[in-house]
Amino acid sequence: MILNHARTPLVWTDLPDRLPGHGEIRVQVLACGVCRTDLHVVDGELPHPNSPIVPGHEVIGRIDAVGSGVDGLAVGDRVGIPWLGHTCGVCRFCRSGRENLCDAPLFTGYTRDGGFATSTIADARFAFPLGETGDAVDLAPLLCAGLIGWRALKLAGEGKHLGLYGFGAAAHILTQVARWQGREVYAFTRPGDHTAQAFARSLGAIWAGGSDEAPPVALDAAIIFATVGDLVPCALRAIDKGGRVVCAGIHMSDIPAFPYDVLWEERQLVSVANLTRQDGLEFLKLAAQIGIVTTVTRYRLDQANQALADLRAGRFEGAAVLVP
Ligand SMILES: [Zn+2]
Ligand SMILES: [Zn+2]
């Protein structure tokens, strides 16, 4: 399913199978999650896209061809292919353990072809070996909603009272992680979205309400997954002195002006960008240990446009996954 031009539907296209080059693997896609970032790519909201491009960066697949110079992966192995598709390895960010901020990265489904396909090619060094435990469809949302959610959770610090703004794929996974860590989760949804609030409570949120409501306690930290800049001052007002607000999305509408006392008393506002491979290894190990259960809505590959439309409209709880 190819995006030929921003703001046009994806088009089912038959392409010849490519062979993996040096350092690459080819995988038969078993499942690919649909992420909010895919909507930003399709809507032309991110700079410097490659087009045409195959979107999709929550890929679970099985290797069916291995290029030269690949270590540790073989035909038949099941792997996950995440958003971070390649880094330069030499810039000051790569050399200081911050490859998520690489100066010359490639991103799966954005600047290199992704997983809305029957087959895709990845840089082998950025694929995660998955083993055979767990269904591919259930695992797919872990590859971005889970991984980048994990990075956002680490950035939020270790406070007990954690707010999550926007209760989609990432929040439904992170609630399980935070509960396992012994934290209390306060879930904020669109005002009046009682279905999402009930879903949040069913996963262990101690409180769920509209984003316009104040939580019953001052929060230690809040993570904003929704793409709405208006939520930033809301979240800053909901956190305690010394608390931190983490913006976890790649794109957000403009943040409105707010009085300085909303930020004062050492409150912090930060963003999270991309992931490192270390984040992925940590999180996938933890997810297996916790036994995270994802809520997924399945779509056939040729229903990718429908899946994107349903994500945009908030027509399902949890995550959408394409199954070729
Ligand atoms: Zn780099
Ligand atoms: Zn994503």
Side-chain angles (χ1 to χ4, degrees):
M1 295 298 285
I2 290 189
L3 178 70
N4 287 304
H5 305 284
R7 294 174 293 281
T8 62
L10 307 186
V11 181
W12 178 278
T13 309
D14 285 316
L15 298 175
D17 274 342
R18 282 202 298 131
L19 286 172
H22 183 77
E24 292 182 327
I25 50 173
R26 189 177 69 196
V27 306
Q28 293 297 314
V29 178
L30 302 169
C32 185
V34 181
C35 173
R36 175 73 51 179
T37 299
D38 296 314
L39 276 183
H40 296 315
V41 171
V42 168
D43 290 345
E45 290 172 325
L46 304 181
H48 317 303
N50 274 11
S51 61
I53 188 86
V54 179
H57 56 271
E58 296 181 310
V59 190
I60 309 289
R62 197 172 290 286
I63 298 173
D64 74 345
V66 176
S68 58
V70 172
D71 285 330
L73 291 173
V75 169
D77 288 354
R78 199 170 67 153
V79 293
I81 300 167
W83 169 249
L84 188 70
H86 177 82
T87 57
C88 76
V90 295
C91 74
R92 64 200 173 98
F93 296 101
C94 282
R95 284 187 285 116
S96 58
R98 296 179 290 167
E99 65 181 1
N100 60 308
L101 301 177
C102 175
D103 284 335
L106 289 175
F107 296 114
T108 309
Y110 174 38
T111 52
R112 65 178 295 156
D113 283 335
F116 288 7
T118 52
S119 178
T120 192
I121 287 182
D123 182 326
R125 296 168 305 156
F126 292 82
F128 299 114
L130 287 181
E132 297 299 326
T133 306
D135 185 84
V137 176
D138 298 327
L139 291 174
L142 301 183
L143 265 290
C144 180
L147 291 190
I148 295 183
W150 170 244
R151 186 171 179 85
L153 185 64
K154 286 196 295 182
L155 221 59
E158 295 182 350
K160 184 172 175 69
H161 303 118
L162 176 71
L164 301 178
Y165 284 79
F167 208 85
H172 103 286
I173 293 169
L174 271 206
T175 296
Q176 299 173 60
V177 178
R179 290 284 300 124
W180 181 83
Q181 293 174 326
R183 307 192 201 213
E184 292 178 357
V185 172
Y186 297 79
F188 298 82
T189 70
R190 289 188 184 112
D193 190 346
H194 300 295
T195 309
Q197 289 164 18
F199 180 56
R201 279 189 289 265
S202 76
L203 290 168
I206 195 167
W207 177 92
S211 56
D212 54 345
E213 294 177 48
V217 297
L219 304 175
D220 297 308
I223 305 174
I224 304 178
F225 293 110
T227 58
V228 183
D230 294 292
L231 293 175
V232 170
C234 294
L236 284 168
R237 286 188 172 94
I239 59 169
D240 207 347
K241 290 177 282 190
R244 188 179 284 182
V245 171
V246 180
C247 299
I250 193 170
H251 175 82
M252 193 180 240
S253 58
D254 286 352
I255 301 169
F258 53 85
Y260 175 63
D261 64 4
V262 170
L263 182 65
W264 191 60
E265 295 172 318
E266 302 195 347
R267 290 176 180 83
Q268 297 178 46
L269 175 62
V270 299
S271 68
V272 65
N274 313 317
L275 67 138
T276 65
R277 282 171 285 181
Q278 188 58 34
D279 295 328
L281 294 171
E282 275 172 28
F283 176 73
L284 290 170
K285 190 170 163 211
L286 187 70
Q289 195 181 342
I290 298 174
I292 286 175
V293 178
T294 54
T295 300
V296 298
T297 301
R298 295 168 183 241
Y299 295 83
R300 295 191 316 266
L301 178 58
D302 64 358
Q303 295 174 308
N305 290 305
Q306 186 61 48
L308 289 165
D310 289 351
L311 174 61
R312 189 191 304 282
R315 278 194 280 262
F316 54 79
E317 302 302 339
V321 178
L322 302 182
V323 186

